[in-house]
Each structure stands twice: as structure tokens, then as C-alpha cells.
Amino acid sequence: MHKLFGFPLSDHSRVFAIALPMIISNIAAPLLGLVDTAIIGHLPNAIYLSAVAIGAMVVSFIYLLAVFLRMATTGYIAQSYGADDIQAQRQHFNNGIVIALGLGVLIAIASPWINDLAMWVVAPSAELEGYARDYIEIRLWSAPASLMTLVALGVLLGRQNSRKAMLLVIITNAVNVVMDVILILGFGLNVEGAAWASLSAEWVTAIIGFYWTARALGWHLRHWQLKFQQLRQFLRVNGNIFIRSLVLQLCMATMTGYATRYGSTMVAVNAVLMQFLMLISLGLDGIAYSVEALAGQAKGQKRHDKIRYWCKITLLWSSLFAVVYSLVFALAGNAIIRLITDIPEIIQVAQDYLPWIVVLPLLAHWSYWFDGVFIGLSFSRGMRNTMILSAVIGFLPLWWAGLPLENHGLWLALSGFLFMRGITQAVWLKYLSSPNHPSG
């Protein structure tokens, strides 16, 4: 049997059969998004692009907080898939759809209040505010569809069908681009056209995702039933992951929000440097998806030896990706900055922060990998508690101590936060997920 790094080639292939399609979708989505932005950006008035940027930021923030639906669904589906329990998979699908529709409708109805809060936080000019409000109001009516798509992605990834999960991501962006061309360039609808294009794409994707998942599960209307005890457990898991995601988003938002105190140049510099974190996620997310599905399946099979095995092989690849990223950033960091921006002042200042960027993959890959393990094993309480601990004993103290360092202090806080996430997650997984702590 041929081996690589001590593992059979067939097992490496299983890891990348899940990881590679998701890596491709992670690359394809931003590329299609660039086309979307280019269409808006070539309109005669720059205010349209600014309004769409603000509106998309608000909507994305809400939907990122709802990613708990994808994570919780993946873990539960992977375990019941491993146990070959199709009835349990259908029940988890039911639970996810109920929560997605309920929460989605609530978000849509609450759109006027969400709009008011967003405009109070962002405080745009009067003209810009009008366009941004229109965009947000339209987009939030796709909330039920977006949340249903998260459930569909969870089912597909849990069943190790990452090819269709990849296609769902690509379909969303492709339909969005086509509708942008029709509504913005064809009908001249500007900001409202961009919003309706995104709404159309999200509903089309939700319908296709629902069809694919229902077909994969052999699901029909007669399978529609709710078991409230299981639904409560599903809600508890989702609540834990929501708190985890909220804390993460607040820490990341500080990188942009607090940088405003150091001037607009620093805000732009941090925006450029955060693109390196996006590049890191292209690969590390793929490996995280693999360990979610494979470790979850092994748990469903009650094969603790296989859980450890899949953790070892995926950690190997996560570490290799991290080392390669660090080497690339060390050797080509300046070139990557120049690809992102051509403004001399921003390039010069950003180069001063490259040492932080070089070590970032080595610090960050642990948290990506551990998130995958925790999701696959449904250790949602551990995800919540380790994230809060990392923010309290990692991010906040270093941010406070680093205030005299200004923007370097922010990067110190982010680095410490990522490092502490890996430490706390490792401790939780080693000691607190033992038989004496079965809840995770």
C-alpha cells in the first residue's frame, strides 16, 4: 500500500475529496464577487458603490452570525451519517429548516429596526443613507432563503458531498452576476437592482439546495415532523455557536473599528492586511470541512480510534498549509500588497506589518482545525467557552497593553487571540471532552 507522510494515499484522497471542492468554491466566490463589484463600480455615481458596500456589510454581518446553522447541522448530520441512521438525518434536516424559516422571517420583519440600528452605527451622509436603506430593506427579505441554504450546506457537507456544496456557492454568485447585468445595466435600477439581484440569487440557491438535500435524504412531506426534545437540543447547540460567532466577529470588527482612531490610512492598511487572512482561509477552511465530516462520521460509528486517526491526518495537512502560507508571505508579501493596492502610502505602511502576517498562518491554523473537530463532534459548549476565554485572556489584555503601540497593538491583540484560541481549544479537547465530561 502506497503511503504519504505515514498515511495511505487513499485516506489523503478522502480528505481532499471534501476539502478541494470547498477550496475551489472559496476561490470562485470572491472572483464572481469582483464582477459584481465591477458592474456597480462602473456606474456614473460613486455613491451607488458606497451604498452597496455599506448594505452588503450589514447583511453579511447578520448572515455570518447565523452560520451556526451550517455548523450545527454539519456535526449532527455527519454523526448520523456515520451511524447510517437516515431517520435521524431527516430529523436534523427538519430541525434546521424550522429554525432557518423562523429566524429568517423574524429578520425580514425586523428589517426596519435593523436598518435604523445599522444607520446609527455607520452614520453615513443623508443621500448615502437613503440608498443603503433601500438595499438593506430588499436584501433582508432573502433571510429565510439564505438561512435555508446554510442548512442545505450543512447536510451536504455532513454527508461528505462537498461537490454539490461547492456548486451551491458558485450558483449563488453566478445568478447574482447575471441578474446584476439584467437589472442594473439592462433596466438601470442601480442600488435596488443590486439588491434584487442578490435576493434572486439567494432564493434560487435555497430552492436548489432544498431539492438536492431532500433528494439525498429521501425526504418527503410525510417525513415532516418535529420532536421538541431534539429541537430544544438543536437550539441549544445553535445558541452556543451563535455566542461563539458573535465574540469572534466583535474581536475582528475591532481591527477595523478601533483603527479609525489612528487615521484613515491605518483603516485602509488593516483592510489590505486582512486580505491575507482571507487568503489563509481559502486552504484552511477546506481542511476544517474535512475534519468536520470525517470526525463526525467516526463519532456516529462509535469509532474513537478513527476520530483520532482523522484528526491526525487533517492536522498534518493544516500544519503543512500553514507553513507554506508563511513561506509565501515571507517571500512574496510585498508583491501581494502591491497586487491589492497601488497607493504608495498604504503600501509603505503595510510593509511595516508584514512580520505579523508571516506568523499569522502558524498561529491561526490551529483554531481553524480545532473548529472543524469541535463541529464534527458537536462540542458546541466547548466552542463557546474557549472563544470567550480567548477573548477575555487573550485579545482584551493584549489590546489594553498594546494601546501605546497603536496599530501594532491591534495586531498584537489579534495574534494573541489566535494563539490563545489554539491553547484553550487543545486543553478543552484533551481534558474536558473525556468520558467525565460527555457534553463537550
Side-chain angles (χ1 to χ4, degrees):
M1 181 184 292
H2 296 289
K3 291 191 174 184
L4 178 66
F5 302 123
F7 298 95
L9 287 176
S10 59
D11 289 338
H12 289 294
S13 297
R14 283 196 67 185
V15 170
F16 278 91
I18 299 169
L20 193 57
M22 299 314 298
I23 292 172
I24 292 171
S25 69
N26 283 346
I27 295 170
L31 290 178
L32 288 167
L34 285 175
V35 178
D36 186 12
T37 303
I39 293 171
I40 302 292
H42 281 83
L43 293 176
N45 194 331
I47 198 170
Y48 300 138
L49 181 59
S50 299
V52 170
I54 291 172
M57 176 191 69
V58 172
V59 174
S60 295
F61 182 81
I62 293 169
Y63 293 166
L64 279 172
L65 290 179
V67 78
F68 57 79
L69 272 171
R70 202 282 302 164
M71 292 179 171
T73 304
T74 298
Y76 278 127
I77 292 290
Q79 291 163 35
S80 51
Y81 180 69
D84 199 23
D85 188 344
I86 191 65
Q87 186 56 44
Q89 293 176 58
R90 290 169 182 157
Q91 190 59 54
H92 296 316
F93 178 60
N94 288 342
N95 293 339
I97 291 297
V98 165
I99 296 172
L101 288 175
L103 185 57
V105 169
L106 186 63
I107 290 171
I109 293 173
S111 60
W113 296 281
I114 294 173
N115 235 330
D116 288 342
L117 177 61
M119 293 306 107
W120 177 75
V121 172
V122 177
S125 65
E127 184 182 9
L128 183 56
E129 179 178 340
Y131 286 115
R133 279 183 176 273
D134 290 342
Y135 182 92
I136 293 169
E137 183 178 354
I138 294 169
R139 277 292 307 277
L140 289 182
W141 283 102
S142 67
S146 293
L147 271 54
M148 283 174 60
T149 299
L150 289 175
V151 174
L153 286 170
V155 173
L156 294 171
L157 288 169
R159 291 175 56 85
Q160 301 180 28
N161 192 344
S162 58
R163 187 177 68 86
K164 281 192 173 176
M166 170 191 72
L167 289 175
L168 275 185
V169 176
I170 293 175
I171 286 170
T172 303
N173 288 276
V175 173
N176 188 35
V177 168
V178 171
M179 294 304 295
D180 272 341
V181 172
I182 295 172
L183 297 175
I184 298 173
L185 300 183
F187 290 92
L189 292 180
N190 299 329
V191 173
E192 289 188 1
W196 283 112
S198 295
L199 179 141
S200 302
E202 284 158 344
W203 277 106
V204 167
T205 307
I207 292 168
I208 294 173
F210 185 90
Y211 171 75
W212 281 350
T213 49
R215 187 174 179 181
L217 296 172
W219 186 93
H220 300 283
L221 281 176
R222 66 177 179 272
H223 297 125
W224 182 260
Q225 57 178 323
L226 289 179
K227 297 180 180 179
F228 289 100
Q229 184 175 355
Q230 290 188 9
L231 182 60
R232 280 198 300 270
Q233 182 183 0
F234 197 77
L235 281 167
R236 185 171 65 251
V237 169
N238 279 286
N240 288 335
I241 301 176
F242 169 78
I243 294 171
R244 167 258 181 207
S245 300
L246 179 61
V247 174
L248 175 62
Q249 289 299 316
L250 289 174
C251 288
M252 300 306 291
T254 303
M255 293 298 296
T256 300
Y258 208 82
T260 58
R261 297 168 180 260
Y262 309 131
S264 58
T265 297
M266 282 303 177
V267 175
V269 166
N270 281 0
V272 169
L273 296 174
M274 292 300 279
Q275 298 307 304
F276 284 84
L277 198 58
M278 185 272 290
L279 292 174
I280 292 169
S281 71
L282 295 179
L284 298 184
D285 269 343
I287 302 301
Y289 288 133
S290 291
V291 72
E292 286 175 25
L294 294 169
Q297 180 186 29
K299 182 178 180 179
Q301 295 169 339
K302 302 188 185 327
R303 291 287 305 275
H304 296 287
D305 59 324
K306 293 299 287 184
I307 293 176
R308 289 190 293 270
Y309 178 82
W310 290 119
C311 284
K312 287 178 182 177
I313 191 171
T314 52
L315 179 57
L316 166 69
W317 280 108
S318 181
S319 302
L320 289 173
F321 269 70
V323 170
V324 170
Y325 273 122
S326 286
L327 289 174
V328 170
F329 293 164
L331 297 173
N334 286 328
I336 294 172
I337 290 173
R338 293 177 184 276
L339 282 174
I340 298 172
T341 180
D342 58 0
I343 302 174
E345 182 184 5
I346 295 176
I347 292 172
Q348 182 179 354
V349 177
Q351 288 171 346
D352 295 336
Y353 291 83
L354 270 179
W356 294 111
I357 298 303
V358 171
V359 300
L360 199 62
L362 302 176
L363 297 173
H365 88 96
W366 296 99
S367 57
Y368 282 90
W369 179 79
F370 274 121
D371 274 350
V373 175
F374 279 49
I375 291 167
L377 302 181
S378 295
F379 286 169
S380 64
R381 190 162 60 91
M383 294 182 72
R384 179 198 66 193
N385 292 350
T386 55
M387 182 66 78
I388 293 172
L389 274 172
S390 299
V392 171
I393 66 178
F395 188 88
L396 290 176
L398 289 174
W399 165 75
W400 180 260
L403 284 176
L405 301 175
E406 297 190 344
N407 200 48
H408 279 287
L410 287 177
W411 283 95
L412 173 66
L414 178 63
S415 300
F417 173 62
L418 293 172
F419 178 72
M420 193 54 64
R421 283 196 65 201
I423 295 294
T424 56
Q425 287 171 308
V427 171
W428 192 280
L429 193 63
K430 185 172 179 61
Y431 297 108
L432 300 183
S433 65
S434 66
N436 295 327
H437 299 82
S439 64

